[in-house]
Amino acid sequence: MTAPPGATPDARPGMWSRLAVLVVQLGLVLAAVYALQIENRTVFWVLSAAFVGFVVHDRMPLEHRLAFFAVLSVLVTVSVLGFPGGLYLLGVSAVLIGVCHARLALRVRVVILFALGVALCWLRAWPGLGDVPTVVGPVLGGMFMFRLALYVRAIHDGTSPTGGWRAVAYFFMIPNICYPLYPVVDYDTFIATHYDADRYRIYDRALKLIVRGLLQLVAYRIVYYEISLDGLYVNDLRDLVRYVVSNFLLYVKISGQFHLITGVLGLYGFRLPEANHLYFLAASPNDFWRRINIYWKDFMLKLVYTPSYFRLRRYGNLFAIVTATIVVFAVTWFLHSYQYFWLQADWQIASRRNVLFWGIFAVLVLGATLWETRPGRRRAPRTARGWSLKRGVTTMLTFLTIASLWSLWNAETGGTWLLMWKQATKGSLTDVTVIAGLIVIFVLLAGFGWGAATLETPQADREALPALAARGARRAAVLVGLVVIGAPALWTALPAQYGDLGDHLHGRGEAPAGFALVQRAYYQALTKGNDRTAVPWVTPPDYSHEWAVFGPQKDFLQREYPRSASLTFRGQTLTTNQWGFRGHDYSLVKPPGTWRVEIYGPSDLMGWGVGDREVFSTPLENMLDSAARAHGKRAEVLNFSVPGTSLAQEVALLQDRGLKFQPDLVLLSVHPYELWSLEETFHAVQMFKWTIPDTGLARLAGAVGLDADGRGSPAALRLIEAPVEERAFRWAEQLTAGTGAKVAVLVVRMPDLRGDFNLATVRRAINASGLPALDCTGIWDGKVLRAYRVSHQDSHPNPAGHLLLARCLYDSLQAHATALGVRPLESGR
């Protein structure tokens, strides 16, 4: 390998100054990653090792640097995997690389590699073979599933030197252990760009990519926590636009990770091109294909399109273009499922959404390709920077088209995707005006020529230190800003209402998209990190041992408290009475002159994480009883809430136990995420063959069934959610008919998510039933939500939150006193 001038260590003036400029930036990168808790602790540790290794690596002669990078990559990978995972990975890697270099015919080597691949797939998929294949599988897939083909091709063509440290460096690239979803780095490019320019120019560009990647990862958190929405919770035009656009914007996480990866590789001399380039500003589907994942596009071009095109060109140029393009997208469809298998141990190949997505995308790209290659077409230079209305409009149309197609790819089912679009008819004039304004702004920005992705021409001359330092200072200022944003002292000093934003920038808290019932988004699933190797910054709470308090699952009611017990639950005292619900003992027969209300709900109403006297039902009972005593009466509030209870189970509990206590008022509770509770209930019914006490509800539950993974089907439930809730309300009315008890619905939310989710559907069901609604969802409006949560990691209401709920419910009962027969609050009674 011939080094360009300036590639090898020397003692020229300014050398240490240049290195110092880079080291300061790298230190700030680590500080920003730590302060904002970017990704996970494993990423921080690997970046720390990579940055320290960079300094040592830079001081070495050029001929030793590749070997050092290879050894460091192996050591870091094995240290993260541990034993025996690291040994397993090394053994499999040695066999695969050895076969590539075996002195056998190419076809024989390909057959052997294919057979080994099938065997490894079997090991990856078979659950009875222990943890090693499970832990190593995603890493092994990230290393070999695509790069192996490029490496074999390079050996066969002789386009680049292979073997030895080059092979180890190529397959074990140091960031790979953190990111199984890894850009498909071309081997020839990997070798050709290694120190092909002045090393400080390469390092400077690497820092640019790293900082860009960090900014995109922070932007992802803003989109994920503040904007995104799950498709099952689209209720109107505004929600539709929010879902379609934000779901597409979430790809910025992939882009950020790829920039970070290529930047780290740049520190070791690999001047690789960008992996993504301004893909949101693509002016056509074809342009989008060129920009969204440049490495994948080049991979397909090299191994699929070009061979197919030249084999088919004898049948005509047009036929070759069309057929080769179709082949590319067919292979892309299959390989994306293959990639999903290696990283998630699951296949998506038969998914109709996948077929539709890649099929429609192929048609769009093919159409754009034929339009661009039509005879006589004049092409505008890609580097044109002037503003053009045509370019702005076409870019906007491309964005909306791809975003809509992306929403289909990530939808739960085709049915829920169509339902989502039907909700567009429920928009207001204000929504239409705001959306139109956003479209105009997008057109104005997209009308400028933003340029295509290019790899700068290698420059062997050393850049002047002042220019290098100036760029470094600008990046350092950005990094210092990230460190400041990540500092806890900043969010302590700011008004408390900004606390949620601080949590979100640190990757903490609840997100609307994260509350998806079954997370099916392709890239969201693949970028979660290996659960066994990606050590989280904050260990998530484990409630598994606490759920055991409620006993085994045995019937439709699913959970119940032990009777007459005093337990420690979530660090608080939880006392149950002789009847098996939380609170002090009540007589089964209602005392004379007593007005009795029963409340049913899930964990937030049962008092998750708060003590007995802090649960909202206790102060509510005190308020009602005080009002009742003014009229010589008494009031009691019986809280039948149990964690995980759905609306259907609330009514079943009323039938099984509640009616025996002769209630005057029954309050059934519903939440913005009622769909989640119902899905869990119907899933358990299907899995354990439980009987639903109501035949009408049982018939609806049977229509939901299970999905292909054996889980409950929230998508199917979403289509009939309103009828399910309406039937539950009618069932409750039938149970209380003739008892003198009235039924009302309490609408509540936890102090976590501000989105409406499926509240619109819930409210339509309540209106259809004709039941009174006591709406306490607004108690958190204008409040600092974190001040009313049990903890940062637990969004259940704390004692202050329960007191707010008690006051809201008391006021609501007072407002509806006559209609509900609330005797303690009715004057003159």
Side-chain angles (χ1 to χ4, degrees):
M1 182 179 297
T2 303
T8 55
D10 56 55
R12 280 192 250 178
M15 182 270 295
W16 287 108
S17 299
R18 286 178 168 81
L19 187 59
V21 169
L22 297 169
V23 169
V24 168
Q25 294 176 71
L26 292 177
L28 288 173
V29 167
L30 287 178
V33 170
Y34 185 85
L36 284 168
Q37 298 184 344
I38 298 294
E39 305 287 53
N40 51 66
R41 289 186 183 275
T42 305
V43 169
F44 177 77
W45 185 89
V46 171
L47 288 179
S48 300
F51 293 169
V52 172
F54 157 73
V55 178
V56 177
H57 167 272
D58 181 66
R59 296 294 83 217
M60 289 184 170
L62 177 63
E63 59 269 21
H64 298 317
R65 291 184 199 164
L66 189 64
F68 177 84
F69 173 73
V71 171
L72 179 65
S73 296
V74 170
L75 291 176
V76 169
T77 300
V78 172
S79 67
V80 171
L81 284 177
F83 180 85
L87 185 61
Y88 176 88
L89 179 66
L90 289 176
V92 173
S93 301
V95 171
L96 293 174
I97 296 173
V99 172
C100 292
H101 288 277
R103 295 184 177 182
L104 300 170
L106 175 63
R107 292 184 179 180
V108 176
R109 281 178 286 165
V110 169
V111 169
I112 295 174
L113 290 173
F114 180 81
L116 289 173
V118 171
L120 290 171
C121 285
W122 182 77
L123 291 173
R124 175 77 176 105
W126 193 258
L129 295 175
D131 285 344
V132 172
T134 302
V135 175
V136 179
V139 181
L140 186 66
M143 290 169 56
F144 289 100
M145 61 184 169
F146 299 134
R147 274 182 261 159
L148 194 64
L150 291 166
Y151 189 70
V152 171
R153 173 69 180 266
I155 293 175
H156 177 69
D157 294 346
T159 51
S160 301
T162 58
W165 296 120
R166 295 183 182 88
V168 176
Y170 179 61
F171 289 110
F172 280 84
M173 301 179 204
I174 192 170
N176 207 154
I177 185 61
C178 300
Y179 298 109
L181 182 62
Y182 204 81
V184 187
V185 179
D186 179 67
Y187 180 79
D188 290 333
T189 306
F190 182 76
I191 296 301
T193 60
H194 189 231
Y195 284 111
D196 65 343
D198 173 68
R199 72 181 191 275
Y200 290 111
R201 289 184 183 273
I202 297 176
Y203 300 158
D204 182 69
R205 181 177 177 274
L207 262 301
K208 179 180 72 173
L209 293 176
I210 290 173
V211 173
R212 185 184 296 175
L214 291 182
L215 291 174
Q216 290 183 351
L217 290 173
V218 173
Y220 163 79
R221 286 180 171 176
I222 295 174
V223 174
Y224 180 68
Y225 286 103
E226 302 290 340
I227 305 175
S228 65
L229 185 69
D230 182 62
L232 292 179
Y233 295 117
V234 171
N235 294 302
D236 52 30
L237 176 62
R238 180 177 55 184
D239 285 346
L240 174 64
V241 174
R242 177 183 171 187
Y243 168 71
V244 170
V245 173
S246 66
N247 189 266
F248 186 29
L249 294 179
L250 288 174
Y251 185 83
V252 76
K253 182 178 184 180
I254 308 296
S255 180
Q257 290 181 348
F258 282 11
H259 277 98
L260 190 62
I261 290 167
T262 52
V264 171
L265 292 175
L267 294 176
Y268 290 86
F270 301 101
R271 198 178 59 89
L272 298 171
E274 291 180 274
N276 300 276
H277 181 76
L278 299 176
Y279 40 90
F280 294 137
L281 295 175
S284 69
N286 206 351
D287 190 30
F288 178 76
W289 171 253
R290 288 191 290 257
R291 292 171 180 263
I292 184 63
N293 190 337
I294 298 170
Y295 288 16
W296 183 267
K297 179 262 298 180
D298 291 343
F299 175 63
M300 287 289 101
L301 182 67
K302 186 172 189 176
L303 295 187
V304 180
Y305 183 85
T306 300
S308 300
Y309 173 79
F310 282 104
R311 285 174 179 262
L312 297 168
R313 193 168 58 170
R314 57 182 173 177
Y315 300 108
N317 189 60
L318 179 61
F319 177 82
I321 291 175
V322 171
T323 307
T325 302
I326 293 173
V327 171
V328 162
F329 279 93
V331 173
T332 296
W333 160 67
F334 174 79
L335 290 184
H336 271 67
S337 184
Y338 177 67
Q339 176 176 251
Y340 195 89
F341 165 78
W342 270 106
L343 303 189
Q344 291 293 312
D346 187 21
W347 282 95
Q348 287 195 335
I349 190 169
S351 168
R352 283 178 290 182
R353 291 176 296 109
N354 278 348
V355 175
L356 283 172
F357 174 79
W358 291 111
I360 296 172
F361 194 17
V363 171
L364 292 174
V365 170
L366 182 58
T369 300
L370 295 177
W371 177 261
E372 289 180 359
T373 58
R374 73 188 189 278
R377 178 179 179 269
R378 297 179 59 185
R379 295 189 181 185
R382 292 187 188 179
T383 55
R385 296 291 181 180
W387 189 85
S388 166
L389 176 61
K390 178 181 178 182
R391 179 164 49 211
V393 172
T394 55
T395 300
M396 181 269 295
L397 292 176
T398 299
F399 180 89
L400 293 179
T401 300
I402 298 299
S404 300
L405 187 58
W406 207 272
S407 72
L408 171 62
W409 192 21
N410 294 320
E412 297 286 338
T413 65
T416 54
W417 188 76
L418 293 175
L419 174 66
M420 180 182 74
W421 286 95
K422 290 179 182 178
Q423 307 288 40
T425 59
K426 298 182 174 67
S428 65
L429 180 60
T430 301
D431 293 339
V432 174
T433 303
V434 171
I435 293 168
L438 293 175
I439 289 176
V440 170
I441 294 173
F442 185 90
V443 170
L444 291 175
L445 292 174
F448 293 98
W450 294 91
T454 58
L455 181 62
E456 301 87 350
T457 303
Q459 293 179 299
D461 60 302
R462 178 160 296 179
E463 189 174 20
L465 178 60
L468 187 71
R471 283 198 302 276
R474 290 192 292 270
R475 282 195 289 269
V478 172
L479 292 168
V480 169
L482 292 178
V483 174
V484 171
I485 291 173
L490 172 67
W491 301 103
T492 302
L494 289 174
Q497 59 263 33
Y498 295 105
D500 288 326
L501 177 60
D503 285 345
H504 295 167
L505 288 173
H506 285 81
R508 299 192 297 262
E510 302 284 356
F515 212 82
L517 306 184
V518 179
Q519 181 55 270
R520 296 183 183 275
Y522 182 85
Y523 287 117
Q524 288 296 102
L526 297 190
T527 55
K528 292 188 301 181
N530 191 329
D531 293 338
R532 304 295 186 89
T533 59
V535 180
W537 287 102
V538 179
T539 303
D542 180 13
Y543 301 136
S544 58
H545 63 288
E546 291 167 335
W547 283 106
V549 167
F550 302 99
Q553 300 176 341
K554 58 183 181 180
D555 58 22
F556 182 68
L557 292 179
Q558 195 167 354
R559 301 182 184 94
E560 64 177 10
Y561 297 104
R563 299 175 184 243
S564 300
S566 181
L567 312 168
T568 299
F569 183 84
R570 299 297 297 149
Q572 301 291 333
T573 300
L574 188 157
T575 304
T576 64
N577 54 37
Q578 61 179 318
W579 310 111
F581 59 91
R582 189 170 190 179
H584 59 79
D585 276 320
Y586 295 89
S587 62
L588 189 61
V589 178
K590 182 173 59 177
T594 299
W595 185 79
R596 182 173 276 179
V597 57
E598 295 179 354
I599 300 177
Y600 297 83
S603 57
D604 54 339
L605 297 186
M606 63 77 64
W608 183 283
V610 300
D612 290 332
R613 299 184 61 81
E614 297 166 330
V615 183
F616 81 99
S617 51
T618 299
L620 175 63
E621 183 177 69
N622 293 336
M623 294 177 195
L624 290 173
D625 192 57
S626 177
R629 286 176 182 273
H631 303 291
K633 306 290 184 179
R634 297 296 303 272
E636 294 178 342
V637 177
L638 282 63
N639 190 342
F640 284 89
S641 301
V642 180
T645 299
S646 68
L647 175 61
Q649 289 171 319
E650 292 175 23
V651 184
L653 185 57
L654 169 66
Q655 174 180 291
D656 179 75
R657 198 170 308 170
L659 291 176
K660 299 175 184 178
F661 289 86
Q662 303 170 296
D664 294 285
L665 176 63
V666 173
L667 285 180
L668 305 173
S669 69
V670 290
H671 293 67
Y673 25 80
E674 185 62 38
L675 187 64
W676 178 86
S677 301
L678 288 169
E679 184 272 328
E680 288 292 318
T681 298
F682 289 170
H683 174 220
V685 167
Q686 297 284 340
M687 290 294 292
F688 300 106
K689 308 301 180 184
W690 290 335
T691 300
I692 299 179
D694 180 69
T695 55
L697 202 57
R699 185 170 55 253
L700 289 169
V704 174
L706 301 177
D707 63 12
D709 298 325
R711 292 287 305 168
S713 178
L717 176 59
R718 180 68 172 102
L719 300 178
I720 59 170
E721 180 188 2
V724 167
E725 290 164 352
E726 291 172 24
R727 179 56 216 165
F729 294 142
R730 291 195 192 97
W731 180 20
E733 287 185 296
Q734 291 169 0
L735 292 174
T736 56
T739 67
K742 295 183 180 295
V743 180
V745 184
L746 172 60
V747 188
V748 291
R749 69 163 76 241
M750 293 199 297
D752 51 4
L753 305 175
R754 293 185 175 89
D756 283 342
F757 297 90
N758 60 330
L759 264 186
T761 303
V762 170
R763 286 177 174 136
R764 283 196 292 270
I766 296 172
N767 292 336
S769 69
L771 295 177
L774 309 181
D775 195 332
C776 286
T777 58
I779 61 176
W780 315 115
D781 293 347
K783 300 290 195 303
V784 181
L785 297 184
R786 66 192 306 186
Y788 295 93
R789 297 174 183 155
V790 169
S791 69
H792 284 300
Q793 293 181 285
D794 192 334
S795 295
H796 289 88
N798 61 14
H802 275 272
L803 188 57
L804 276 182
L805 178 58
R807 289 172 176 167
C808 173
L809 190 49
Y810 180 81
D811 293 339
S812 298
L813 289 172
Q814 194 171 35
H816 297 82
T818 302
L820 295 175
V822 186
R823 288 192 291 274
L825 301 177
E826 293 178 311
S827 59
R829 296 292 297 272

